[in-house]
Amino acid sequence: KIVYPENGQADERSVFLTGEAYFNVAKDSLKPFIVKTENLSVKVLGTQFNVRDYPDENVTMVTLNEGKVELQTTCGKTVVLEPLQQLIYNNLTQEVKGTEVLPDNASAWKDGRMVFDSVEIDEIVKTLERQYDISINVDSTLLSDESYSVKFKCDENIYQVMSVLQDMIGECSFVIEGNTVKM
């Protein structure tokens, strides 16, 4: 969801984002572009970047493809990102973590792909629930600190995706009943 103020300030271009969006911003040094989320404010002059801030997740992520962005957290911390960097902001602890990434992975969704790189099963599940508009109930014995890396095409059906997860995790099975997957 993107909200664009009808009567924005003349010297600023800004939007409020809930969810995830990829931006390709034209350079205008007189009017900075600002993406505001519940937890961060991202200020840019001209660049390409991805912002992810879902209400049901405990982290906000900003990934920079090119250019430079300045982020300000709700607790007042300012961080500048360079190309190929990602900022992960913990919305609960207000901890800021930076890492180098392949930016195409963060914005793969816009190209019809889901890319998971060293993430826990609960993050994969949240993304799949949004992608397929389903509920996935994972047996608590399958939840661990183990990380997984996997890629899917968004046009793959839920049966194909769950079969791959089943093979990855091992010793688990899944049942699909209506809009619910039990694992």
Side-chain angles (χ1 to χ4, degrees), residues 14 24 36-37 46 53 67 74 81 111-112 119 124 133 139 148 164 168 174:
S14 67
N24 187 343
K36 298 175 184 179
T37 72
D53 188 3
T74 52
L81 284 184
D111 299 320
V119 298
I124 295 172
D133 193 24
D139 186 306
Y148 300 94
V164 170
M168 262 181 20
F174 68 92

Short mmCIF file of all heavy atoms in Angstrom, two decimals, residues 14 24 36-37 46 53 67 74 81 111-112 119 124 133 139 148 164 168 174:
data_model
loop_
_atom_site.label_atom_id
_atom_site.label_comp_id
_atom_site.label_asym_id
_atom_site.label_seq_id
_atom_site.Cartn_x
_atom_site.Cartn_y
_atom_site.Cartn_z
N SER A 14 7.20 12.79 -1.38
CA SER A 14 7.20 11.74 -0.36
C SER A 14 5.99 10.82 -0.52
O SER A 14 4.96 11.21 -1.06
CB SER A 14 7.20 12.35 1.04
OG SER A 14 6.00 13.02 1.30
N ASN A 24 12.46 3.41 -8.56
CA ASN A 24 13.46 3.90 -9.48
C ASN A 24 13.21 5.40 -9.57
O ASN A 24 12.28 5.84 -10.26
CB ASN A 24 13.31 3.23 -10.85
CG ASN A 24 14.44 3.57 -11.79
OD1 ASN A 24 15.19 4.52 -11.59
ND2 ASN A 24 14.55 2.80 -12.86
N LYS A 36 8.46 6.92 3.50
CA LYS A 36 8.25 6.78 4.94
C LYS A 36 7.52 5.47 5.20
O LYS A 36 6.59 5.13 4.49
CB LYS A 36 7.44 7.95 5.49
CG LYS A 36 8.15 9.29 5.31
CD LYS A 36 7.29 10.44 5.74
CE LYS A 36 8.00 11.76 5.43
NZ LYS A 36 7.19 12.92 5.81
N THR A 37 7.99 4.74 6.23
CA THR A 37 7.29 3.55 6.68
C THR A 37 7.00 3.76 8.16
O THR A 37 7.35 4.78 8.73
CB THR A 37 8.13 2.27 6.50
OG1 THR A 37 9.18 2.25 7.46
CG2 THR A 37 8.70 2.16 5.08
N GLY A 46 18.31 10.32 -6.26
CA GLY A 46 18.09 9.62 -7.52
C GLY A 46 18.75 8.27 -7.43
O GLY A 46 19.96 8.19 -7.32
N ASP A 53 8.56 -3.47 4.42
CA ASP A 53 8.09 -3.20 5.79
C ASP A 53 6.65 -3.69 5.92
O ASP A 53 5.72 -2.92 5.75
CB ASP A 53 8.19 -1.70 6.10
CG ASP A 53 7.91 -1.38 7.56
OD1 ASP A 53 7.68 -2.31 8.35
OD2 ASP A 53 7.91 -0.19 7.90
N GLY A 67 23.10 4.23 -6.56
CA GLY A 67 22.93 5.55 -5.98
C GLY A 67 23.31 5.57 -4.52
O GLY A 67 24.21 4.85 -4.09
N THR A 74 13.07 5.48 13.62
CA THR A 74 12.16 6.17 14.53
C THR A 74 12.86 6.57 15.82
O THR A 74 12.41 7.48 16.50
CB THR A 74 10.94 5.29 14.87
OG1 THR A 74 11.40 4.02 15.34
CG2 THR A 74 10.03 5.11 13.68
N LEU A 81 23.38 4.30 3.09
CA LEU A 81 23.66 3.06 2.37
C LEU A 81 24.34 3.36 1.05
O LEU A 81 24.00 4.32 0.35
CB LEU A 81 22.37 2.30 2.07
CG LEU A 81 21.68 1.54 3.18
CD1 LEU A 81 20.47 0.79 2.63
CD2 LEU A 81 22.61 0.60 3.89
N ASP A 111 10.32 -9.33 -10.65
CA ASP A 111 10.63 -10.08 -11.87
C ASP A 111 10.01 -11.47 -11.86
O ASP A 111 10.38 -12.33 -12.65
CB ASP A 111 12.15 -10.20 -12.03
CG ASP A 111 12.82 -8.84 -12.17
OD1 ASP A 111 12.26 -7.97 -12.86
OD2 ASP A 111 13.91 -8.65 -11.59
N GLY A 112 9.07 -11.71 -10.91
CA GLY A 112 8.37 -12.98 -10.87
C GLY A 112 9.14 -14.10 -10.21
O GLY A 112 8.91 -15.27 -10.52
N VAL A 119 17.86 -17.93 5.04
CA VAL A 119 16.78 -17.46 5.92
C VAL A 119 16.14 -18.66 6.62
O VAL A 119 16.19 -19.79 6.15
CB VAL A 119 15.71 -16.65 5.16
CG1 VAL A 119 16.31 -15.40 4.55
CG2 VAL A 119 15.04 -17.48 4.09
N ILE A 124 10.42 -17.82 5.08
CA ILE A 124 9.94 -18.42 3.82
C ILE A 124 8.43 -18.58 3.87
O ILE A 124 7.72 -18.24 2.93
CB ILE A 124 10.64 -19.77 3.56
CG1 ILE A 124 12.14 -19.56 3.35
CG2 ILE A 124 10.01 -20.49 2.36
CD1 ILE A 124 12.96 -20.83 3.28
N ASP A 133 -1.74 -16.38 -0.98
CA ASP A 133 -2.94 -16.03 -0.22
C ASP A 133 -3.50 -17.26 0.50
O ASP A 133 -4.67 -17.62 0.36
CB ASP A 133 -4.00 -15.41 -1.13
CG ASP A 133 -5.13 -14.75 -0.34
OD1 ASP A 133 -4.90 -14.37 0.83
OD2 ASP A 133 -6.24 -14.63 -0.88
N ASP A 139 4.46 -27.33 11.88
CA ASP A 139 4.66 -28.06 13.13
C ASP A 139 5.86 -27.44 13.85
O ASP A 139 6.91 -27.22 13.24
CB ASP A 139 4.92 -29.53 12.83
CG ASP A 139 4.98 -30.39 14.07
OD1 ASP A 139 5.76 -30.07 14.98
OD2 ASP A 139 4.24 -31.39 14.13
N TYR A 148 18.00 -21.63 5.28
CA TYR A 148 17.82 -22.27 3.99
C TYR A 148 18.01 -21.25 2.87
O TYR A 148 17.69 -20.08 3.04
CB TYR A 148 16.42 -22.88 3.87
CG TYR A 148 16.13 -23.93 4.92
CD1 TYR A 148 15.50 -23.58 6.11
CD2 TYR A 148 16.50 -25.25 4.72
CE1 TYR A 148 15.24 -24.55 7.08
CE2 TYR A 148 16.24 -26.21 5.67
CZ TYR A 148 15.61 -25.86 6.85
OH TYR A 148 15.36 -26.80 7.81
N VAL A 164 9.33 -28.96 -2.83
CA VAL A 164 10.73 -28.55 -2.70
C VAL A 164 11.08 -28.33 -1.23
O VAL A 164 12.13 -28.79 -0.74
CB VAL A 164 11.03 -27.30 -3.54
CG1 VAL A 164 12.41 -26.74 -3.23
CG2 VAL A 164 10.90 -27.60 -5.02
N MET A 168 13.84 -30.20 1.10
CA MET A 168 14.89 -29.40 1.78
C MET A 168 14.95 -29.70 3.27
O MET A 168 16.01 -29.91 3.82
CB MET A 168 14.61 -27.90 1.60
CG MET A 168 15.38 -27.25 0.52
SD MET A 168 15.03 -25.47 0.35
CE MET A 168 14.34 -24.93 1.85
N PHE A 174 3.39 -32.57 3.98
CA PHE A 174 2.43 -31.47 3.96
C PHE A 174 1.10 -31.96 3.42
O PHE A 174 1.03 -32.91 2.66
CB PHE A 174 2.95 -30.28 3.16
CG PHE A 174 3.05 -30.54 1.68
CD1 PHE A 174 1.99 -30.23 0.83
CD2 PHE A 174 4.21 -31.05 1.13
CE1 PHE A 174 2.08 -30.45 -0.54
CE2 PHE A 174 4.31 -31.28 -0.23
CZ PHE A 174 3.25 -30.99 -1.07
#
